[in-house]
Amino acid sequence: VAGDAAQPFEARLEVRGGQDLWTTMILEDAKISRVLDLHADGLSVREIAEAVGMSKSTVARMVKKGRADG
């Protein structure tokens, strides 16, 4: 496996309406999504950085990018 197919990803199994549903997301997108969810919940950059194990500057860049992207 090489190229885009070799990128790290997150896989999640959910049960919706009694049916199993697998979803996948590129790991970097999953990290950004988690950071933006925590930011939307009102956590500070410092609190988010501690929760996800990233530097404050990385979290701040993700939040800034998320705001710009809508």
Side-chain angles (χ1 to χ4, degrees), residues 38 42-52:
L38 292 172
L43 274 70
S44 70
V45 168
R46 180 177 303 222
E47 292 168 325
I48 296 168
E50 290 175 8
V52 298

Side-chain angles (χ1 to χ4, degrees), residues 3-65:
D4 288 341
Q7 290 184 352
F9 65 94
E10 173 185 274
R12 182 178 302 186
L13 176 61
E14 300 177 62
V15 179
R16 293 185 188 168
Q19 294 186 345
D20 297 335
L21 174 66
W22 279 102
T23 57
T24 61
M25 185 181 297
I26 296 172
L27 192 55
E28 189 63 27
D29 292 344
K31 289 179 184 178
I32 292 170
S33 179
R34 176 77 174 133
V35 165
L36 296 178
D37 287 347
L38 292 172
H39 183 263
D41 288 344
L43 274 70
S44 70
V45 168
R46 180 177 303 222
E47 292 168 325
I48 296 168
E50 290 175 8
V52 298
M54 294 180 196
S55 70
K56 292 181 290 187
S57 59
T58 298
V59 169
R61 282 192 299 273
M62 288 180 172
V63 169
K64 184 177 179 180
K65 183 177 180 341

